[in-house]
Amino acid sequence: MRAVITSGRDPRPPGDSGGGSAGAGNLAERVFRIRESGILVVLVVFVAVTTLAQPRFLSEANIQFILVDTTVFALLALGETMVVISRNVDLSVGSVLGLSAYASSNLFGHHAGIPIPVVFLVGLAIGLVCGVANGVMVAAGRVPSLVVTLATLYIIRGIDILMFSGQQVVEAVLPNAFLAIPKSTVLGVPDLAIAVAAVIVVGDYYLRNYRSARELYAIGSNPEAARLAGIPVGRRIFTAFALSGAIAGIAGVLWAAQYGTIDSSAGTGYELQVVSAVVVGGVAIFGGSGSVVGAALGALLLGTITTALYVLGISPFWDQAIWGALLLLAITLDQTITERLTSALRQRRTRHV
Amino acid sequence: MSSLADRLRAAGRGAARWETGLAIVVLAVIIGGSAASPQFLTGSNVFDMGLSNGEIAIMTLPMTLVVISGEIDLSVASMLGMSSALLGVLWSHGWPMPAIFVAVAALGLAAGALNGLLVTRLRLPSLAVTIGTLALYRGIATILLGPTTVANFPTAYTNLGVNGVPGTNGDVTYSTLIFVVLAIGFGVVLHATPFGRSIYAMGASAEAAQFAGIRVKRIKTVLYMISGLICALAGVLYTFRLNTSVENNGLGLELDVVAIVLLAGVSIFGGKGSMIGVVLAVLVFAGIQNALLLTNFNQEATGIVTGALLLASVFVPNAARWIRHLTRPRTQKA
């Protein structure tokens, strides 16, 4: 029934525009809005409660910290969302980020004066190659993405370790302009957060309005039906993986700028955090529904929680348990809404017939 | 009524192809390992191999059942860590060891039951649920222990982790012995009991199994509880082997466990796989890790081999099918 939910994004069928009993599309659309705004409400309530307990939480420095800290995850979540919508998963993002972070920032040490955009391009290229590899294997090989990306998670991390283990890129070799990227602000808002927000808005527009993106939802709802409907399933899935890889590559360069010290373990375990953010953000793990904005909000919520616990003086040892509980809550809530919606739609349809 | 032996034999036949391939790989690993290092086949090295892979191997057994039933359990390493943490905390509070074992087993069962109930009663996807409990259980381990490390376990227990089983020349670890005994038990249950057959049935089609009168939800919950219990056992072994209870014990092992199970030919979509395959895959995994260690390959990078094996495990059967498809004479035309 996931197809029904996503149809809320499509233009309403003509018959639904008026009349007392709103059509299925209308209802689905309303619930969908609730799903996304639900995360926003949780976020706002969480920030409000934390601020009441500790006003320091809303200080400019702290907000900047949260925003910058979230950017990398929000970016990764963007790519992951496209993959998950198509009923796949990309577990290799953490390893891709790690390889890109080291290989790209390492250039500064070996080629002093290399322009920063070139370094970003190198990161992008590394990510793209990894993403293309994933995409080819999943789309052309027709093997489960969970297995393929679990394998590339290991292989890419292994390559990273073989090439760079025992070495470190230290802050001293990185140019100041590069390290300043996460620090510069416009009217108190980090440039990086603005840039990532812009990317997310573009991604959201694309996923809502472009044919190729809508086909991703169709594939995720029912791969077999999508194939029969003439959708180039393989090509779409390939593109989603390639984009996810490319984005992880860029995120790697940003990670390097943010942390300054990079070794071959950068980004280890990020895959589960990214999948968590995406799922908390309301993207169905079995595809067919969800939005980039939701996923980004999920990443922001998780980042905010971590910082809030710190500000509230709650031991950071509680972070993970609260994260886990929240994730379980999010998927339970999501499932409940989906089931309610499904039965509501079924009732409406029978009434009309 | 067929005898137990008959049914086991039938199971062996049905799953023969992939397992034959794995057996050849095991032989290749043994030959390659011996060629790479004269130490490979020595008793003390066999001991080391068992030591460094024992807990992972034990955790593959319940994972096999869960995956065949059509679900997945990514929280296994966190349940190991949580059990290890509880063991450490209770010991530092002066509990007697037998009482601690009961408590740890109860915790494992409870953790598995929560996974199972969330998956079956709330109908949530197991992938998402167990990523959530992966974080939750690891988080509970962290809350239990904080930054402390408990390391003063009695030598009577920690010796179990570092000594060999008597009568084996000290070459077989207790974890290896436990793995072998459990693997036989799990194999018999999976391949020769109605309970085991019902796991395949629900993995092939949960709906059909339901209509055939199989209590899908109950059995899946039981499988998750078994997983919790076995992971608790692995947690105890891990703790005694390293004589350390610390919050990040076993961090990330879930991926190794899943990799071995998939390498064994167990289908990620459920309904297919065998215990013999899993035992062979454990041997391949342990053998390659160990051979690489002996040849001074960067130990952290051995994941490359695990990854390559995983890819091979999905592509080789596909390639075989393509080749068969291409070489088949096209006489029939619909």
Side-chain angles (χ1 to χ4, degrees), chain A residues 141 143-144 146-147 150-151 154 158 161-162 165 272 285-286 317-318 320-321 324 327-328 335 339, chain B residues 123-125 129 132 134-136 138-139 142-143 147 255-256 268 298 300 303-304 307 311 314 318:
Chain A
V143 288
L146 185 72
V147 184
L150 179 61
Y154 278 115
I161 290 168
L162 278 188
S165 102
L272 294 179
I285 191 81
F286 284 137
F317 296 113
W318 283 78
Q320 249 201 327
L327 181 60
L328 291 175
Q335 175 82 356
E339 282 182 1
Chain B
R123 292 178 296 278
L124 301 173
V129 165
L134 181 157
L136 179 65
R138 179 65 63 189
T142 318
I143 293 169
L255 297 182
D256 287 338
I268 190 80
N298 189 330
E300 291 169 70
I304 290 189
L311 286 184
V314 285
N318 272 15

mmCIF file of all heavy atoms in Angstrom, chain A residues 141 143-144 146-147 150-151 154 158 161-162 165 272 285-286 317-318 320-321 324 327-328 335 339, chain B residues 123-125 129 132 134-136 138-139 142-143 147 255-256 268 298 300 303-304 307 311 314 318:
data_model
loop_
_atom_site.group_PDB
_atom_site.id
_atom_site.type_symbol
_atom_site.label_atom_id
_atom_site.label_comp_id
_atom_site.label_asym_id
_atom_site.label_seq_id
_atom_site.Cartn_x
_atom_site.Cartn_y
_atom_site.Cartn_z
ATOM 1 N N GLY A 141 23.988 -6.703 -11.884
ATOM 2 C CA GLY A 141 24.135 -8.045 -11.325
ATOM 3 C C GLY A 141 22.854 -8.554 -10.704
ATOM 4 O O GLY A 141 22.733 -9.734 -10.424
ATOM 5 N N VAL A 143 21.735 -8.320 -7.689
ATOM 6 C CA VAL A 143 21.931 -8.989 -6.409
ATOM 7 C C VAL A 143 21.507 -8.028 -5.308
ATOM 8 O O VAL A 143 21.480 -6.807 -5.517
ATOM 9 C CB VAL A 143 23.402 -9.426 -6.217
ATOM 10 C CG1 VAL A 143 23.725 -10.591 -7.106
ATOM 11 C CG2 VAL A 143 24.341 -8.273 -6.459
ATOM 12 N N PRO A 144 21.143 -8.543 -4.135
ATOM 13 C CA PRO A 144 20.615 -7.668 -3.082
ATOM 14 C C PRO A 144 21.621 -6.598 -2.668
ATOM 15 O O PRO A 144 22.799 -6.889 -2.452
ATOM 16 C CB PRO A 144 20.348 -8.632 -1.917
ATOM 17 C CG PRO A 144 20.497 -9.990 -2.438
ATOM 18 C CD PRO A 144 21.165 -9.943 -3.754
ATOM 19 N N LEU A 146 21.848 -4.988 0.039
ATOM 20 C CA LEU A 146 22.354 -5.158 1.405
ATOM 21 C C LEU A 146 23.672 -5.934 1.379
ATOM 22 O O LEU A 146 24.642 -5.574 2.045
ATOM 23 C CB LEU A 146 21.310 -5.906 2.244
ATOM 24 C CG LEU A 146 21.621 -6.077 3.725
ATOM 25 C CD1 LEU A 146 21.478 -4.756 4.455
ATOM 26 C CD2 LEU A 146 20.722 -7.119 4.362
ATOM 27 N N VAL A 147 23.717 -6.996 0.559
ATOM 28 C CA VAL A 147 24.914 -7.828 0.488
ATOM 29 C C VAL A 147 26.040 -7.079 -0.222
ATOM 30 O O VAL A 147 27.180 -7.042 0.243
ATOM 31 C CB VAL A 147 24.609 -9.151 -0.245
ATOM 32 C CG1 VAL A 147 25.817 -10.050 -0.228
ATOM 33 C CG2 VAL A 147 23.418 -9.848 0.379
ATOM 34 N N LEU A 150 27.307 -4.173 1.888
ATOM 35 C CA LEU A 150 28.017 -4.693 3.064
ATOM 36 C C LEU A 150 29.423 -5.103 2.639
ATOM 37 O O LEU A 150 30.413 -4.842 3.332
ATOM 38 C CB LEU A 150 27.260 -5.888 3.656
ATOM 39 C CG LEU A 150 27.855 -6.581 4.883
ATOM 40 C CD1 LEU A 150 27.970 -5.616 6.044
ATOM 41 C CD2 LEU A 150 27.001 -7.770 5.302
ATOM 42 N N ALA A 151 29.518 -5.717 1.470
ATOM 43 C CA ALA A 151 30.819 -6.131 0.949
ATOM 44 C C ALA A 151 31.686 -4.916 0.637
ATOM 45 O O ALA A 151 32.863 -4.866 1.005
ATOM 46 C CB ALA A 151 30.640 -6.992 -0.298
ATOM 47 N N TYR A 154 33.275 -3.213 3.580
ATOM 48 C CA TYR A 154 34.532 -3.842 3.992
ATOM 49 C C TYR A 154 35.659 -3.502 3.026
ATOM 50 O O TYR A 154 36.768 -3.176 3.419
ATOM 51 C CB TYR A 154 34.374 -5.364 3.979
ATOM 52 C CG TYR A 154 33.730 -5.961 5.196
ATOM 53 C CD1 TYR A 154 32.504 -6.594 5.117
ATOM 54 C CD2 TYR A 154 34.370 -5.921 6.426
ATOM 55 C CE1 TYR A 154 31.922 -7.178 6.230
ATOM 56 C CE2 TYR A 154 33.794 -6.489 7.533
ATOM 57 C CZ TYR A 154 32.569 -7.123 7.436
ATOM 58 O OH TYR A 154 32.008 -7.695 8.525
ATOM 59 N N GLY A 158 38.915 -1.404 3.664
ATOM 60 C CA GLY A 158 40.171 -2.138 3.584
ATOM 61 C C GLY A 158 41.180 -1.428 2.696
ATOM 62 O O GLY A 158 42.362 -1.332 3.032
ATOM 63 N N ILE A 161 42.571 1.456 4.565
ATOM 64 C CA ILE A 161 43.552 1.048 5.582
ATOM 65 C C ILE A 161 44.862 0.630 4.920
ATOM 66 O O ILE A 161 45.948 1.027 5.356
ATOM 67 C CB ILE A 161 42.976 -0.104 6.435
ATOM 68 C CG1 ILE A 161 41.844 0.417 7.324
ATOM 69 C CG2 ILE A 161 44.063 -0.740 7.286
ATOM 70 C CD1 ILE A 161 41.029 -0.645 7.995
ATOM 71 N N LEU A 162 44.771 -0.145 3.818
ATOM 72 C CA LEU A 162 45.990 -0.599 3.147
ATOM 73 C C LEU A 162 46.812 0.589 2.650
ATOM 74 O O LEU A 162 48.037 0.590 2.715
ATOM 75 C CB LEU A 162 45.636 -1.493 1.961
ATOM 76 C CG LEU A 162 45.341 -2.955 2.263
ATOM 77 C CD1 LEU A 162 45.198 -3.732 0.976
ATOM 78 C CD2 LEU A 162 46.436 -3.560 3.139
ATOM 79 N N SER A 165 47.013 3.325 6.394
ATOM 80 C CA SER A 165 47.048 3.027 7.825
ATOM 81 C C SER A 165 48.391 3.421 8.423
ATOM 82 O O SER A 165 49.432 3.352 7.771
ATOM 83 C CB SER A 165 46.751 1.552 8.065
ATOM 84 O OG SER A 165 47.934 0.861 8.312
ATOM 85 N N LEU A 272 25.267 3.148 9.902
ATOM 86 C CA LEU A 272 24.088 2.893 10.726
ATOM 87 C C LEU A 272 23.468 4.201 11.209
ATOM 88 O O LEU A 272 22.246 4.328 11.312
ATOM 89 C CB LEU A 272 24.452 1.983 11.899
ATOM 90 C CG LEU A 272 24.867 0.568 11.482
ATOM 91 C CD1 LEU A 272 25.230 -0.276 12.684
ATOM 92 C CD2 LEU A 272 23.780 -0.104 10.677
ATOM 93 N N ILE A 285 11.815 1.989 5.306
ATOM 94 C CA ILE A 285 13.032 1.220 5.043
ATOM 95 C C ILE A 285 12.844 0.273 3.864
ATOM 96 O O ILE A 285 13.804 -0.114 3.216
ATOM 97 C CB ILE A 285 13.475 0.457 6.312
ATOM 98 C CG1 ILE A 285 14.872 -0.155 6.176
ATOM 99 C CG2 ILE A 285 12.490 -0.649 6.664
ATOM 100 C CD1 ILE A 285 15.972 0.805 6.418
ATOM 101 N N PHE A 286 11.585 -0.086 3.547
ATOM 102 C CA PHE A 286 11.371 -0.954 2.389
ATOM 103 C C PHE A 286 10.884 -0.183 1.173
ATOM 104 O O PHE A 286 10.227 -0.719 0.292
ATOM 105 C CB PHE A 286 10.426 -2.106 2.734
ATOM 106 C CG PHE A 286 11.125 -3.150 3.544
ATOM 107 C CD1 PHE A 286 10.518 -3.734 4.634
ATOM 108 C CD2 PHE A 286 12.413 -3.524 3.223
ATOM 109 C CE1 PHE A 286 11.196 -4.696 5.388
ATOM 110 C CE2 PHE A 286 13.094 -4.473 3.969
ATOM 111 C CZ PHE A 286 12.481 -5.063 5.057
ATOM 112 N N PHE A 317 27.108 8.960 28.026
ATOM 113 C CA PHE A 317 26.918 7.517 27.963
ATOM 114 C C PHE A 317 25.461 7.147 27.704
ATOM 115 O O PHE A 317 25.154 6.012 27.401
ATOM 116 C CB PHE A 317 27.419 6.859 29.250
ATOM 117 C CG PHE A 317 28.886 7.041 29.439
ATOM 118 C CD1 PHE A 317 29.386 7.812 30.468
ATOM 119 C CD2 PHE A 317 29.777 6.472 28.555
ATOM 120 C CE1 PHE A 317 30.737 7.992 30.623
ATOM 121 C CE2 PHE A 317 31.137 6.657 28.698
ATOM 122 C CZ PHE A 317 31.622 7.423 29.737
ATOM 123 N N TRP A 318 24.563 8.118 27.871
ATOM 124 C CA TRP A 318 23.154 7.850 27.612
ATOM 125 C C TRP A 318 22.791 8.047 26.139
ATOM 126 O O TRP A 318 21.711 7.643 25.710
ATOM 127 C CB TRP A 318 22.273 8.760 28.477
ATOM 128 C CG TRP A 318 22.201 8.285 29.884
ATOM 129 C CD1 TRP A 318 23.156 8.444 30.849
ATOM 130 C CD2 TRP A 318 21.143 7.545 30.487
ATOM 131 N NE1 TRP A 318 22.758 7.842 32.011
ATOM 132 C CE2 TRP A 318 21.521 7.289 31.824
ATOM 133 C CE3 TRP A 318 19.919 7.075 30.031
ATOM 134 C CZ2 TRP A 318 20.708 6.576 32.693
ATOM 135 C CZ3 TRP A 318 19.110 6.373 30.909
ATOM 136 C CH2 TRP A 318 19.506 6.120 32.220
ATOM 137 N N GLN A 320 23.548 6.833 23.166
ATOM 138 C CA GLN A 320 23.202 5.756 22.240
ATOM 139 C C GLN A 320 21.896 5.079 22.594
ATOM 140 O O GLN A 320 21.098 4.760 21.721
ATOM 141 C CB GLN A 320 24.330 4.741 22.187
ATOM 142 C CG GLN A 320 25.029 4.774 20.854
ATOM 143 C CD GLN A 320 25.759 3.502 20.598
ATOM 144 O OE1 GLN A 320 26.268 2.868 21.522
ATOM 145 N NE2 GLN A 320 25.852 3.124 19.354
ATOM 146 N N ALA A 321 21.667 4.888 23.899
ATOM 147 C CA ALA A 321 20.429 4.232 24.312
ATOM 148 C C ALA A 321 19.234 5.088 23.910
ATOM 149 O O ALA A 321 18.226 4.582 23.404
ATOM 150 C CB ALA A 321 20.443 3.989 25.810
ATOM 151 N N GLY A 324 18.720 4.868 20.197
ATOM 152 C CA GLY A 324 18.105 3.605 19.813
ATOM 153 C C GLY A 324 16.617 3.604 20.122
ATOM 154 O O GLY A 324 15.793 3.214 19.291
ATOM 155 N N LEU A 327 14.770 5.757 17.703
ATOM 156 C CA LEU A 327 14.651 5.122 16.390
ATOM 157 C C LEU A 327 13.507 4.106 16.394
ATOM 158 O O LEU A 327 12.679 4.076 15.474
ATOM 159 C CB LEU A 327 15.972 4.444 16.039
ATOM 160 C CG LEU A 327 16.057 3.750 14.689
ATOM 161 C CD1 LEU A 327 15.812 4.737 13.582
ATOM 162 C CD2 LEU A 327 17.421 3.114 14.522
ATOM 163 N N LEU A 328 13.438 3.311 17.468
ATOM 164 C CA LEU A 328 12.360 2.325 17.575
ATOM 165 C C LEU A 328 11.010 3.030 17.620
ATOM 166 O O LEU A 328 10.047 2.618 16.981
ATOM 167 C CB LEU A 328 12.548 1.466 18.825
ATOM 168 C CG LEU A 328 13.745 0.512 18.785
ATOM 169 C CD1 LEU A 328 13.910 -0.187 20.122
ATOM 170 C CD2 LEU A 328 13.567 -0.516 17.684
ATOM 171 N N GLN A 335 4.864 3.049 11.282
ATOM 172 C CA GLN A 335 4.079 1.868 10.929
ATOM 173 C C GLN A 335 2.610 2.071 11.307
ATOM 174 O O GLN A 335 1.702 1.752 10.538
ATOM 175 C CB GLN A 335 4.657 0.651 11.666
ATOM 176 C CG GLN A 335 3.852 -0.617 11.486
ATOM 177 C CD GLN A 335 4.213 -1.281 10.181
ATOM 178 O OE1 GLN A 335 4.993 -0.750 9.409
ATOM 179 N NE2 GLN A 335 3.629 -2.438 9.927
ATOM 180 N N GLU A 339 -0.511 2.015 8.725
ATOM 181 C CA GLU A 339 -1.609 1.050 8.812
ATOM 182 C C GLU A 339 -2.957 1.749 8.947
ATOM 183 O O GLU A 339 -3.937 1.367 8.326
ATOM 184 C CB GLU A 339 -1.364 0.089 9.976
ATOM 185 C CG GLU A 339 -0.346 -0.966 9.610
ATOM 186 C CD GLU A 339 -0.106 -1.971 10.718
ATOM 187 O OE1 GLU A 339 -0.755 -1.862 11.776
ATOM 188 O OE2 GLU A 339 0.736 -2.857 10.518
ATOM 189 N N ARG B 123 4.710 -5.801 13.602
ATOM 190 C CA ARG B 123 4.927 -5.955 12.156
ATOM 191 C C ARG B 123 5.932 -4.937 11.603
ATOM 192 O O ARG B 123 5.749 -4.385 10.525
ATOM 193 C CB ARG B 123 3.603 -5.840 11.393
ATOM 194 C CG ARG B 123 2.676 -7.002 11.655
ATOM 195 C CD ARG B 123 1.364 -6.837 10.924
ATOM 196 N NE ARG B 123 0.620 -5.684 11.407
ATOM 197 C CZ ARG B 123 -0.149 -5.703 12.499
ATOM 198 N NH1 ARG B 123 -0.263 -6.788 13.208
ATOM 199 N NH2 ARG B 123 -0.792 -4.625 12.884
ATOM 200 N N LEU B 124 6.987 -4.688 12.366
ATOM 201 C CA LEU B 124 7.997 -3.737 11.896
ATOM 202 C C LEU B 124 9.075 -4.483 11.120
ATOM 203 O O LEU B 124 9.343 -5.648 11.404
ATOM 204 C CB LEU B 124 8.638 -3.020 13.084
ATOM 205 C CG LEU B 124 7.687 -2.239 13.977
ATOM 206 C CD1 LEU B 124 8.416 -1.710 15.199
ATOM 207 C CD2 LEU B 124 7.076 -1.089 13.202
ATOM 208 N N PRO B 125 9.708 -3.816 10.143
ATOM 209 C CA PRO B 125 10.786 -4.482 9.403
ATOM 210 C C PRO B 125 11.976 -4.777 10.330
ATOM 211 O O PRO B 125 12.424 -3.896 11.063
ATOM 212 C CB PRO B 125 11.164 -3.477 8.316
ATOM 213 C CG PRO B 125 10.572 -2.183 8.743
ATOM 214 C CD PRO B 125 9.422 -2.482 9.637
ATOM 215 N N VAL B 129 14.262 -2.467 12.953
ATOM 216 C CA VAL B 129 14.144 -2.742 14.392
ATOM 217 C C VAL B 129 15.507 -3.048 14.993
ATOM 218 O O VAL B 129 15.892 -2.498 16.026
ATOM 219 C CB VAL B 129 13.189 -3.924 14.653
ATOM 220 C CG1 VAL B 129 13.328 -4.443 16.069
ATOM 221 C CG2 VAL B 129 11.753 -3.506 14.391
ATOM 222 N N GLY B 132 17.813 -0.276 15.379
ATOM 223 C CA GLY B 132 17.417 0.467 16.577
ATOM 224 C C GLY B 132 17.911 -0.198 17.847
ATOM 225 O O GLY B 132 18.504 0.457 18.710
ATOM 226 N N LEU B 134 20.303 -2.331 18.024
ATOM 227 C CA LEU B 134 21.769 -2.291 17.994
ATOM 228 C C LEU B 134 22.247 -1.085 18.799
ATOM 229 O O LEU B 134 23.123 -1.193 19.660
ATOM 230 C CB LEU B 134 22.248 -2.204 16.545
ATOM 231 C CG LEU B 134 23.740 -2.162 16.219
ATOM 232 C CD1 LEU B 134 23.960 -2.629 14.794
ATOM 233 C CD2 LEU B 134 24.368 -0.801 16.380
ATOM 234 N N ALA B 135 21.645 0.062 18.534
ATOM 235 C CA ALA B 135 22.020 1.272 19.267
ATOM 236 C C ALA B 135 21.549 1.187 20.719
ATOM 237 O O ALA B 135 22.286 1.528 21.650
ATOM 238 C CB ALA B 135 21.430 2.504 18.579
ATOM 239 N N LEU B 136 20.318 0.707 20.915
ATOM 240 C CA LEU B 136 19.742 0.670 22.264
ATOM 241 C C LEU B 136 20.554 -0.242 23.189
ATOM 242 O O LEU B 136 20.931 0.164 24.299
ATOM 243 C CB LEU B 136 18.293 0.190 22.189
ATOM 244 C CG LEU B 136 17.549 0.070 23.523
ATOM 245 C CD1 LEU B 136 17.369 1.437 24.169
ATOM 246 C CD2 LEU B 136 16.190 -0.596 23.337
ATOM 247 N N ARG B 138 23.612 -1.427 22.824
ATOM 248 C CA ARG B 138 24.963 -0.913 23.038
ATOM 249 C C ARG B 138 24.900 0.259 24.015
ATOM 250 O O ARG B 138 25.763 0.426 24.872
ATOM 251 C CB ARG B 138 25.575 -0.472 21.697
ATOM 252 C CG ARG B 138 26.974 0.096 21.770
ATOM 253 C CD ARG B 138 28.002 -0.901 22.215
ATOM 254 N NE ARG B 138 28.134 -2.024 21.289
ATOM 255 C CZ ARG B 138 28.863 -3.113 21.558
ATOM 256 N NH1 ARG B 138 29.529 -3.219 22.676
ATOM 257 N NH2 ARG B 138 28.914 -4.101 20.689
ATOM 258 N N GLY B 139 23.839 1.064 23.877
ATOM 259 C CA GLY B 139 23.652 2.194 24.784
ATOM 260 C C GLY B 139 23.469 1.728 26.217
ATOM 261 O O GLY B 139 24.019 2.323 27.147
ATOM 262 N N THR B 142 26.692 0.828 27.649
ATOM 263 C CA THR B 142 27.441 2.029 27.986
ATOM 264 C C THR B 142 26.925 2.638 29.284
ATOM 265 O O THR B 142 27.707 3.112 30.107
ATOM 266 C CB THR B 142 27.324 3.053 26.838
ATOM 267 O OG1 THR B 142 27.454 2.362 25.607
ATOM 268 C CG2 THR B 142 28.391 4.100 26.933
ATOM 269 N N ILE B 143 25.596 2.633 29.466
ATOM 270 C CA ILE B 143 25.033 3.170 30.703
ATOM 271 C C ILE B 143 25.471 2.312 31.889
ATOM 272 O O ILE B 143 25.851 2.831 32.939
ATOM 273 C CB ILE B 143 23.491 3.209 30.618
ATOM 274 C CG1 ILE B 143 23.048 4.231 29.567
ATOM 275 C CG2 ILE B 143 22.882 3.559 31.970
ATOM 276 C CD1 ILE B 143 21.565 4.153 29.235
ATOM 277 N N PRO B 147 32.554 4.726 31.787
ATOM 278 C CA PRO B 147 33.932 4.612 31.312
ATOM 279 C C PRO B 147 34.738 3.543 32.050
ATOM 280 O O PRO B 147 35.919 3.379 31.780
ATOM 281 C CB PRO B 147 34.494 6.007 31.606
ATOM 282 C CG PRO B 147 33.697 6.490 32.765
ATOM 283 C CD PRO B 147 32.349 5.843 32.704
ATOM 284 N N LEU B 255 28.507 -7.308 11.549
ATOM 285 C CA LEU B 255 28.748 -7.371 10.110
ATOM 286 C C LEU B 255 29.519 -8.638 9.735
ATOM 287 O O LEU B 255 29.243 -9.268 8.714
ATOM 288 C CB LEU B 255 29.478 -6.110 9.629
ATOM 289 C CG LEU B 255 28.701 -4.810 9.813
ATOM 290 C CD1 LEU B 255 29.479 -3.630 9.268
ATOM 291 C CD2 LEU B 255 27.339 -4.881 9.155
ATOM 292 N N ASP B 256 30.474 -9.035 10.571
ATOM 293 C CA ASP B 256 31.196 -10.281 10.328
ATOM 294 C C ASP B 256 30.239 -11.465 10.357
ATOM 295 O O ASP B 256 30.309 -12.359 9.512
ATOM 296 C CB ASP B 256 32.287 -10.494 11.392
ATOM 297 C CG ASP B 256 33.466 -9.556 11.200
ATOM 298 O OD1 ASP B 256 33.644 -9.068 10.070
ATOM 299 O OD2 ASP B 256 34.202 -9.308 12.168
ATOM 300 N N ILE B 268 19.511 -14.086 1.690
ATOM 301 C CA ILE B 268 19.128 -12.926 2.487
ATOM 302 C C ILE B 268 17.607 -12.756 2.478
ATOM 303 O O ILE B 268 17.034 -12.126 3.353
ATOM 304 C CB ILE B 268 19.831 -11.654 1.963
ATOM 305 C CG1 ILE B 268 19.647 -10.465 2.913
ATOM 306 C CG2 ILE B 268 19.332 -11.247 0.589
ATOM 307 C CD1 ILE B 268 20.525 -10.454 4.080
ATOM 308 N N ASN B 298 48.235 -6.471 6.674
ATOM 309 C CA ASN B 298 47.670 -5.537 7.650
ATOM 310 C C ASN B 298 46.372 -6.111 8.225
ATOM 311 O O ASN B 298 45.398 -6.310 7.501
ATOM 312 C CB ASN B 298 47.403 -4.186 6.978
ATOM 313 C CG ASN B 298 47.014 -3.130 7.991
ATOM 314 O OD1 ASN B 298 46.423 -3.425 9.034
ATOM 315 N ND2 ASN B 298 47.375 -1.904 7.696
ATOM 316 N N GLU B 300 43.996 -5.077 10.087
ATOM 317 C CA GLU B 300 42.728 -4.341 10.019
ATOM 318 C C GLU B 300 42.117 -4.404 8.623
ATOM 319 O O GLU B 300 40.930 -4.160 8.453
ATOM 320 C CB GLU B 300 42.961 -2.868 10.375
ATOM 321 C CG GLU B 300 43.309 -2.634 11.818
ATOM 322 C CD GLU B 300 43.776 -1.206 12.015
ATOM 323 O OE1 GLU B 300 42.941 -0.301 11.918
ATOM 324 O OE2 GLU B 300 44.981 -0.982 12.236
ATOM 325 N N GLY B 303 39.312 -7.191 6.122
ATOM 326 C CA GLY B 303 37.933 -7.009 5.667
ATOM 327 C C GLY B 303 37.822 -7.051 4.152
ATOM 328 O O GLY B 303 36.780 -7.442 3.617
ATOM 329 N N ILE B 304 38.876 -6.664 3.448
ATOM 330 C CA ILE B 304 38.861 -6.729 1.979
ATOM 331 C C ILE B 304 38.505 -8.142 1.521
ATOM 332 O O ILE B 304 37.691 -8.341 0.618
ATOM 333 C CB ILE B 304 40.238 -6.327 1.394
ATOM 334 C CG1 ILE B 304 40.467 -4.839 1.596
ATOM 335 C CG2 ILE B 304 40.327 -6.690 -0.079
ATOM 336 C CD1 ILE B 304 41.676 -4.317 0.880
ATOM 337 N N GLY B 307 34.927 -8.984 2.287
ATOM 338 C CA GLY B 307 34.072 -8.326 1.303
ATOM 339 C C GLY B 307 34.090 -9.040 -0.030
ATOM 340 O O GLY B 307 33.042 -9.263 -0.643
ATOM 341 N N LEU B 311 30.976 -10.792 -2.057
ATOM 342 C CA LEU B 311 30.601 -10.531 -3.448
ATOM 343 C C LEU B 311 30.582 -11.830 -4.239
ATOM 344 O O LEU B 311 29.667 -12.096 -5.017
ATOM 345 C CB LEU B 311 31.573 -9.534 -4.083
ATOM 346 C CG LEU B 311 31.426 -8.077 -3.632
ATOM 347 C CD1 LEU B 311 32.392 -7.193 -4.405
ATOM 348 C CD2 LEU B 311 30.003 -7.587 -3.829
ATOM 349 N N VAL B 314 27.461 -13.906 -3.853
ATOM 350 C CA VAL B 314 26.254 -13.556 -4.599
ATOM 351 C C VAL B 314 26.453 -13.645 -6.108
ATOM 352 O O VAL B 314 25.511 -13.914 -6.845
ATOM 353 C CB VAL B 314 25.694 -12.152 -4.246
ATOM 354 C CG1 VAL B 314 25.011 -12.212 -2.899
ATOM 355 C CG2 VAL B 314 26.743 -11.079 -4.283
ATOM 356 N N ASN B 318 24.950 -16.545 -9.503
ATOM 357 C CA ASN B 318 24.339 -15.831 -10.624
ATOM 358 C C ASN B 318 25.065 -16.127 -11.933
ATOM 359 O O ASN B 318 24.445 -16.389 -12.955
ATOM 360 C CB ASN B 318 24.372 -14.322 -10.377
ATOM 361 C CG ASN B 318 23.154 -13.862 -9.600
ATOM 362 O OD1 ASN B 318 22.465 -14.699 -9.026
ATOM 363 N ND2 ASN B 318 22.901 -12.582 -9.572
#
